[in-house]
Amino acid sequence: TETGEIFVAEIARGSNADAAGVAKVGDVLRAASAMVPEMKYGQGNLLLGGNGRPGFRRVLYVVPNGEDYRPGASFDQTIGAVVSNSRAGNFDVTLVLERRLREE
């Protein structure tokens, strides 16, 4: 949005979000789990100059907002972070959502 936030616009019936029942329309996405590629070295290999093997490390991707938010680019980066969980295997995606109190 123009406010620099990514929020839940709808929840598809039958989706994982619908089944979990935790996310609500209007919730603001603050962070998501992501997998970052890295080289993994055995304990002795690093000291002896041996070869490593490619792997992944799970991190928490903080969603850009406010001054850091760039329309289009920030959304694409955030979706990329969420999708990266599937590249490393069948990992559950962790989302950090903010629910705001609304004045009635």
Side-chain angles (χ1 to χ4, degrees):
T1 68
E2 292 84 29
T3 63
E5 295 178 319
I6 296 172
F7 64 93
V8 177
E10 69 177 303
I11 298 174
R13 184 168 294 191
S15 67
N16 289 340
D18 185 36
V22 177
K24 304 287 183 208
V25 171
D27 287 354
V28 179
L29 181 61
R30 293 296 178 202
S33 60
M35 300 300 280
V36 177
E38 70 175 4
M39 291 299 289
K40 296 188 177 205
Y41 298 94
Q43 212 169 21
N45 284 347
L46 185 59
L47 296 174
L48 300 173
N51 293 332
R53 60 180 174 75
F56 289 91
R57 178 172 44 98
R58 193 170 189 148
V59 298
L60 189 64
Y61 172 80
V62 177
V63 177
N65 63 37
E67 291 179 6
D68 295 331
Y69 182 81
R70 295 184 334 243
S74 294
F75 181 78
D76 291 344
Q77 290 171 344
T78 302
I79 294 302
V82 171
V83 171
S84 72
N85 289 279
S86 67
R87 278 188 260 147
N90 278 336
F91 287 97
D92 289 338
V93 175
T94 302
L95 301 176
V96 177
L97 299 167
E98 175 185 329
R99 182 163 303 143
R100 299 198 175 139
L101 297 176
R102 296 195 174 114
E103 294 181 20
E104 301 284 329

